[in-house]
Amino acid sequence: MKKIFSRPESLKDAPFHYCPGCGHSIIHRLVAEVIDELGIREQTVGVPPAGCAVLAYNYFDVDMAEAPHGRAAAVATGIKRILPDRVVFTYQGDGDIAAIGTAETIHAANRGERITAIFVNNAVYGMTGGQMAPTTVLGQVTTTSPGGRVPLRDGHPLDLSEMLGVAAGSVYIERTTVSNPKGIMRTKKAIKKAFMAQLENRGFALVEILSPCPTNWKMTPEQATKWVDETMTKFFPLKVIKDVA
Amino acid sequence: MSGKVLMRGTHVLGEAAIRSGCRAYFGYPITPQNELPEYMAAAFAKMDDAVFVQAESELASINMVMGASIAGARVMTSSSSPGISLKQEGISYLAGMELPAVIVNMMRGGPGLGNIAPAQGDYFQATKGGGHGDYRLIVFAPAYGQEIADMTRAAFDMADKYRNPVMILGDGMMGQMMEPVVFPEPVDPAALPKKEWVLDGAKGRPSRIIRSLWLDTALEEELNWRLVRKYERITEEIPDQEIYMCDDAELIIVAYGTAARVAKGGVHRAREMGLKVGLYRPKTLWPFPSGPLARLSRTLEHIVVFEMSTGQMVEDVRLAVEGRCNVSFYGRPGGSVATPEEIARVLSSTYHRMGSRNHKGSEAHAVRDLSRRAAG
C-alpha cells in the first residue's frame, strides 16, 4: 500500500496540548513539513516563545532553546552568529514579538540577521487568559478591553510586519492565514520561502500567520475561522509585504 | 604580547578574555566601561572566528549571550550598574538554564542613574540574586590589574566547569587604572573540553532542549535542589581571600576591590602608628570566604568593614563572625573614594576605643561615630 500521509519527521510523536480549533497545531505541522522537505532537520535550532507555544520543544524534533518572553530574536542572533551554517528559527506569538519583544525583533531585522521568524498572530494573549494584545483589533472584546478596544485608551492594532518591512535588513515578510485550506497552502509556501531566505544567506525573514483562538475569543472553532477571514484580515491584510530576491 | 605590559583595567579584562578563549562579545555602551567593548570590537575585527555585536539594549545583549552560550561559545558581556540591572532578567535565565557566561560589572554610583564614579553599591545585587528565583552567581572581585587578568581566566574556566554564569565585579576606577600585567598563556577555543549539551543541530543524535520552564512542580523543585548541590560544591571549592598583616592583629579591616586597596594603605599608616591592624580581602564575594574570617575572629577584638556603599558586605562579615568579635562599618557611598589617611583615622579611633568598653556596647557607638565621620 502506498503511504500518502504521515507525521513529519521533524515532529515528535507527542499529542499537542493546544485547544480545539487553535492554529498552532497546523502551523507546527507546516513548519515541520518545510524542515523535512528542505532536509535541514539535523542543522536546525528552534527558539520557542513564552506563551501558548512555550512547549513547542515537546513537539519539534529539532534542537530547541527557550528564550525569555520577547527575547527570541536576540537569543536566535546569538546562536546564529556562533553557528552561521545552522538554520535558526523563532516561533513567537503576537504578545511575544509585537509587545515585549518589539525592540529585539526590529533590530534583528534591521541588522539583517539570517534568521527565520514565525509570528503567530491571534490578536490576543492566549496563555495568560485572553488579555488585549498589541494586535487586538479595534472594537475587539478581551478581558482587559471589556468594552472593546478603543484607540484613545488602548492605541491601535500594531502593524509589526509592515514596520519590519521598512527595516533595511529584512528580505522577506509575508502575512498569511491558517483559517482556511487555501490560506494553509499559502502559509506553507511562505514558511518555505522564509527558510530559503536564510539558507541563501540573504537576511531576516518573517511570516506573520493569522491564527484562530476560539477559546479566548469565546467562539466555536468555526466562528473563529470566519472571524479571522472576515474581521482580522481587514486590519491585517493578507499579502507579501516585502520580497527582495 | 608576552612579558609585562602596562594596560588599563578594562583592556586587561578584554585581552585576558580573548586569551581565555572568549570568541563572542555582546554589549551596550555605558560609562565607565566603554573601553572594554571597544577593545573587543577592535580585537575581534582582526579575528575570523570571533563575534562582536553591539546590541540595541542590555536586554538584547544578555539574550545574545544566552544564544551564544547555547551554541557552545565562551561568551562575555559587560556593563555598569544601571545596565546590569537591565541584564538581570537574562542572568536569572542563564542560571536556571545552567549556561556558562561571563558578565562584567564595572560599578558606578547609584541608585538610579547615579553617577559614573567608582562605587560598590551592587554587592547585594551581585551576590544575593539580582534577578528572580533561587540562584547564585560566582562573583570575583579583583583589586589589581594582575588579578583582573587572572580572575578573567578563572571566570571562564569556572563558568564552563560549573555551567553557571560568573560575574567579575569591579568599578570605574579599576577599569581606568593602568598597571603592569603579565597575561596568562592563550587558550585555543577548539582545544577546550567539548560541551555535550550544546544546541548545534541534532546531527546523528537525538534532539536536545535547553529550557527554564518546569511546569511540573516536582521537576522545578528537583532543579532547585540540584542547583543548591552545585552551589554547595562551589562553596567548598572556590572561596578565595587575601589575609594581610593579620598574624598579630587585634583589629582588622575587611574590604574588597578598590576599597581594599585604599584600606591596605590605611593599614600601612596605622602600622606606622604602632597599631596592630591587618586587612582581610575577599577575592570571591560569592561564595564569600567565611572560613578564614571566622577563624581570625576568635582572636580579634574588632573588625571594621569598609565599603564604597552604605553597608552590604558587612552583613556577610557578621554572618561569618557570628558574634565572636565586634563588627562596625565605615562607608563612602555614591562614588566618593576614601583616602588611606581617612581609613587610618578610622582604624586608629576604633583601635583606641577597643578594650576600654564593654564590647557589645561599643559596637553601637562605633557605628554611630563612624557614620558621623563619614558624613562630615
Side-chain angles (χ1 to χ4, degrees), chain A residues 114-149:
Chain A
R114 273 64 171 159
I115 59 175
T116 302
I118 307 298
F119 163 20
V120 182
N121 181 0
N122 60 14
V124 77
Y125 279 82
M127 190 190 229
T128 48
Q131 296 83 11
M132 182 176 62
T135 48
T136 293
V137 304
L138 296 181
Q140 185 182 341
V141 173
T142 72
T143 59
T144 50
S145 57
R149 182 175 195 165

Side-chain angles (χ1 to χ4, degrees), chain A residues 49-112:
Chain A
C52 288
V54 70
L55 299 175
Y57 48 69
N58 286 341
Y59 309 129
F60 286 106
D61 195 10
V62 302
D63 278 0
M64 297 288 279
E66 216 168 64
H69 193 31
R71 319 291 174 220
V75 172
T77 296
I79 297 169
K80 183 71 180 182
R81 292 289 184 118
I82 299 303
L83 302 168
D85 62 341
R86 307 304 200 280
V87 177
V88 183
F89 76 93
T90 71
Y91 189 105
Q92 302 174 262
D94 43 74
D96 193 75
I97 200 169
I100 192 168
T102 321
E104 284 81 358
T105 309
I106 287 182
H107 286 275
N110 199 47
R111 286 191 304 268

Side-chain angles (χ1 to χ4, degrees), chain A residues 172-184:
Chain A
Y172 176 68
I173 313 277
E174 180 166 355
R175 185 183 292 116
T176 64
T177 177
V178 287
S179 55
N180 58 66
K182 193 178 151 203
I184 292 170

Side-chain angles (χ1 to χ4, degrees), chain B residues 95-116:
Chain B
M97 296 159 114
E98 295 192 81
L99 290 170
V102 173
I103 300 142
V104 179
N105 182 2
M106 290 294 176
M107 290 181 281
R108 57 189 255 176
L113 208 46
N115 59 32
I116 60 170

